[in-house]
Amino acid sequence: MTQDTALEMKDVELNEFDQEKVPMAAGVEDALVGSGGEKNGVVKVKLEDDDAVGDTRAQKFTGLSKEELLRVAGTPGWVKVRWVLLILFWLGWAGMLAGAVVIIVQAPRCQPLPVLEWWHKGPLYQLGNPETFQDSNGDGIGDIKGIQQRLESLSSLKVKGLVIGPLHVNQPDDNTQTYLTEIDQRYGNFQDFLDLLEAARKKSIKLIIDLSPNYRGNNIWFENTLTSEKAFQDKIKDAMEFWLKQCIGGIYFGGIENLDNLSELFEEWKNITANSSSECENRALLVSTNEHLDDNVLTLLNTTGSGLLSSRYLLSKENASKESLGERINQYINTDAEQWNSWAVGGPQVGHMASLVKEKLLRAYQLLLFTLPGTPVMFYGDEIGLKDQPEALQSPYMRWDDTENGGFSTDVKRGDFDNRTISFKAQEEDKKSLLSTYKSLSELRGKERSLLHGDFVSLVVNTQSLAYLRKWDQNERFISALNFDLSEKVTMTLKGHDLPEQGSVVLSSDPERKEGSTISLTNLMLGPGEALLIKYPYNS
């Protein structure tokens, strides 16, 4: 058999291959083109490329070569197109640049931000005598360690500083037995104080030490003649320098109306406080008076420079005054145009807010403190409505929970029936409580520039009501409107100063007012005892 015959026989065998052994493939007969190859019984089939099937198939575009592009680019038509596109590009760029310059020139300038110290940024919390705040060892006397145990609760109030004390040893009305740099043993020791200082620092809370010397005696500054003696003045200065070296936040003096040589002492105290700030963060010198300050003292405070906070008590001891509250506020602000004030309602020598004003006005005074220009100073327990004891010389202990002793101590040795229905814990869980209002106002003041350091504009000043505007540059504006009359409604017409016709309710002491609801400013009606905070956007 010849070689050709053998090949033909092999082709026949392949054609007659058992079809059941051939793998199924749809359309294989239609796709077979050309010759096949076989190895080890497997037939290899070559399929035609799709682009080669039929004359109607689209041809692949391979683009122009480099030489072809160069030839086309040099033609007059393309040269003209390129120049037109280039000119349009630069004209567009110049137009956008000119537009940006016009926008920048015509845009309103942002007002430069003032330099804010730590005491500008939030409220101060005045503990006064630590004896009534928190007992850590069960002896019924509040102490320094007890204050440290409650720092978490104080931090939740967004306070920036604690005014503590006096802590020093003081034999009533005896200057020779008063040691301003020694801590009274009933409150703890110096190491306890350093531990508290470090714990407070971790919470971003500053400590201000009250150095009012004769805090257990009849006159907080002893006899008036004593304050003029050089030995006594040196004693005060040495004590200030001692405590400021511990990097505390500042020094507090109360009852300055009892000082005969006020201007001389102020100048010395201011210099000591300012000069001590190089090693630590800037310090505050905080002074207060239990009486309304006369014009001479107000002028003096206005010339003492930064770092001094003069605390304004918005109520007198008798809870009354000849002029209205709004008039007193305007007097303080207008006299001290450049002075940073602090505002207080209660205090160690004045009493708690809840004992000075009616219960329905507590929110009104809280709103007042947090929205006036300056630093609010709250007395311990004012955030929950703590009341003074009937006994004039006995301060109430703080109530932290609803247990029999209020969480103050495991061995309370005093009765306090007026405050048994209130506690920090209970109000913390109630969104409509006085404590919740305090927290809302404290947080709002800390983040809104108009409330933090904005301008003050008096809108309405009446015997029983007032309204004022706080504004800063291009930020939201806030209006505080207050009615202190518990029996009558009051209607206000707020206009001028670019005020809109309507605003939005931020907070109200009236539970019927819904947060975010729209309210008229041209016909603003406040219910009896209502305090209302309104906002509206900046409009250029």
Side-chain angles (χ1 to χ4, degrees):
M1 181 182 294
T2 66
Q3 185 176 6
D4 293 338
T5 304
L7 289 172
E8 291 175 0
M9 293 296 292
K10 192 147 183 99
D11 289 338
V12 171
E13 290 174 4
L14 287 172
N15 291 333
E16 295 177 353
F17 192 82
D18 188 355
Q19 297 300 314
E20 292 181 359
K21 296 181 181 180
V22 177
M24 297 296 292
V28 171
E29 292 84 1
D30 298 329
L32 291 174
V33 179
S35 60
E38 177 257 333
K39 183 177 181 181
N40 296 330
V42 179
V43 178
K44 294 184 178 179
V45 180
K46 181 179 181 181
L47 300 177
E48 290 289 348
D49 196 335
D50 289 343
D51 291 336
V53 180
D55 294 335
T56 60
R57 299 279 184 156
Q59 299 297 320
K60 288 185 177 179
F61 178 73
T62 58
L64 298 177
S65 66
K66 180 178 179 181
E67 291 76 11
E68 291 173 325
L69 285 173
L70 290 175
R71 284 200 304 271
V72 173
T75 60
W78 278 110
V79 171
K80 185 181 295 184
V81 169
R82 286 204 308 273
W83 276 106
V84 170
L85 292 176
L86 185 63
I87 292 172
L88 289 175
F89 169 78
W90 284 111
L91 286 175
W93 185 89
M96 288 188 294
L97 178 61
V101 171
V102 170
I103 292 174
I104 293 173
V105 170
Q106 292 185 348
R109 293 287 186 269
C110 291
Q111 193 171 347
L113 294 175
V115 177
L116 296 181
E117 302 292 354
W118 63 265
W119 59 85
H120 297 152
K121 300 176 182 179
L124 303 182
Y125 191 93
Q126 189 166 15
L127 294 177
N129 190 332
E131 191 171 318
T132 57
F133 192 67
Q134 178 64 55
D135 172 23
S136 68
N137 55 12
D139 64 355
I141 300 175
D143 46 44
I144 296 173
K145 287 185 177 180
I147 298 172
Q148 184 173 340
Q149 292 175 359
R150 296 298 182 179
L151 283 179
E152 187 65 37
S153 296
L154 296 176
S155 179
S156 72
L157 302 178
K158 301 291 190 298
V159 300
K160 297 302 179 183
L162 300 181
V163 184
I164 302 178
L167 300 172
H168 59 263
V169 175
N170 169 228
Q171 185 68 29
D173 302 319
D174 188 350
N175 177 45
T176 62
Q177 297 298 313
T178 296
Y179 306 99
L180 300 176
T181 59
E182 295 183 15
I183 294 177
D184 193 317
Q185 292 183 357
R186 73 183 72 190
Y187 306 140
N189 54 46
F190 190 68
Q191 185 58 50
D192 294 336
F193 176 81
L194 294 179
D195 293 341
L196 171 62
L197 187 65
E198 176 62 18
R201 184 190 64 80
K202 293 179 180 179
K203 296 287 186 183
S204 298
I205 298 176
K206 303 292 184 181
L207 299 187
I208 298 178
I209 296 298
D210 187 344
L211 282 183
S212 305
N214 190 31
Y215 65 99
R216 297 188 185 279
N218 294 320
N219 185 336
I220 200 170
W221 287 96
F222 298 103
E223 301 82 8
N224 291 342
T225 56
L226 182 63
T227 61
S228 301
E229 296 179 6
K230 186 178 183 305
F232 180 79
Q233 295 181 16
D234 290 341
K235 186 176 184 176
I236 298 294
K237 296 174 195 175
D238 291 343
M240 291 181 65
E241 292 174 351
F242 171 83
W243 289 108
L244 290 170
K245 284 181 181 178
Q246 314 307 320
C247 274
I248 61 173
I251 301 292
Y252 171 89
F253 290 113
I256 60 171
E257 71 276 5
N258 294 315
L259 296 172
D260 289 336
N261 52 336
L262 192 56
S263 58
E264 178 184 349
L265 290 175
F266 265 11
E267 191 63 30
E268 290 284 353
W269 295 349
K270 182 190 69 172
N271 292 336
I272 292 173
T273 305
N275 294 335
S276 69
S277 298
S278 58
E279 299 178 1
C280 310
E281 211 172 340
N282 286 347
R283 324 298 185 83
L285 176 60
L286 177 62
V287 298
S288 70
T289 173
N290 302 330
E291 306 292 344
H292 298 310
L293 300 180
D294 58 32
D295 291 341
N296 292 332
V297 176
L298 290 173
T299 303
L300 176 63
L301 292 173
N302 191 39
T303 60
T304 52
S306 61
L308 175 65
L309 287 75
S310 52
S311 188
R312 306 290 194 243
Y313 284 98
L314 296 175
L315 297 174
S316 66
K317 286 183 177 179
E318 295 78 21
N319 198 17
S321 68
K322 295 180 180 179
E323 70 275 8
S324 71
L325 180 61
E327 290 173 340
R328 293 204 305 275
I329 290 172
N330 286 337
Q331 177 201 7
Y332 292 151
I333 293 175
N334 293 334
T335 305
D336 283 351
E338 302 299 325
Q339 176 64 36
W340 186 272
N341 288 312
S342 63
W343 303 93
V345 174
Q349 306 299 320
V350 180
H352 283 81
M353 185 191 299
S355 296
L356 297 172
V357 304
K358 300 294 184 181
E359 183 176 356
K360 194 173 181 180
L361 292 177
L362 290 177
R363 285 176 172 81
Y365 277 95
Q366 279 192 354
L367 189 147
L368 191 66
L369 290 173
F370 278 102
T371 60
L372 283 172
T375 299
V377 180
M378 307 295 288
F379 197 26
Y380 82 98
D382 279 351
E383 71 274 22
I384 61 173
L386 196 69
K387 294 181 179 179
D388 293 325
Q389 291 287 70
E391 299 84 358
L393 300 178
Q394 188 176 14
S395 298
Y397 62 83
M398 183 65 179
R399 290 194 61 84
W400 296 103
D401 56 39
D402 294 329
T403 59
E404 184 179 1
N405 58 17
F408 164 77
S409 172
T410 57
D411 183 23
V412 177
K413 299 177 180 178
R414 62 187 72 179
D416 191 3
F417 300 103
D418 289 344
N419 294 310
R420 287 194 180 277
T421 59
I422 63 173
S423 74
F424 193 97
K425 182 179 180 180
Q427 292 194 24
E428 200 171 28
E429 299 169 353
D430 181 3
K431 293 183 179 180
K432 297 181 179 180
S433 67
L434 184 65
L435 177 61
S436 294
T437 301
Y438 179 103
K439 288 184 176 182
S440 296
L441 287 168
S442 183
E443 183 175 2
L444 192 66
R445 185 194 178 278
K447 69 180 183 181
E448 294 291 347
R449 293 196 178 278
S450 291
L451 295 177
L452 190 61
H453 53 73
D455 299 328
F456 173 90
V457 180
S458 180
L459 300 176
V460 173
V461 178
N462 292 322
T463 305
Q464 293 292 328
S465 61
L466 75 151
Y468 51 87
L469 168 68
R470 299 296 309 280
K471 62 177 182 176
W472 176 260
D473 199 25
Q474 302 172 39
N475 294 266
E476 276 190 317
R477 276 77 164 108
F478 288 85
I479 295 175
S480 295
L482 306 103
N483 178 18
F484 296 100
D485 193 328
L486 293 175
S487 59
E488 297 290 338
K489 295 180 179 180
V490 64
T491 301
M492 299 179 178
T493 300
L494 306 182
K495 58 183 180 179
H497 307 286
D498 297 323
L499 292 175
E501 293 184 358
Q502 295 180 327
S504 177
V505 174
V506 179
L507 184 147
S508 174
S509 59
D510 183 357
E512 298 300 320
R513 299 266 197 196
K514 301 301 181 183
E515 180 180 339
S517 60
T518 301
I519 191 169
S520 171
L521 299 182
T522 57
N523 187 31
L524 179 61
M525 181 176 292
L526 299 178
E530 183 180 4
L532 184 60
L533 184 62
I534 307 167
K535 70 177 180 180
Y536 65 91
Y538 164 77
N539 189 345
S540 59

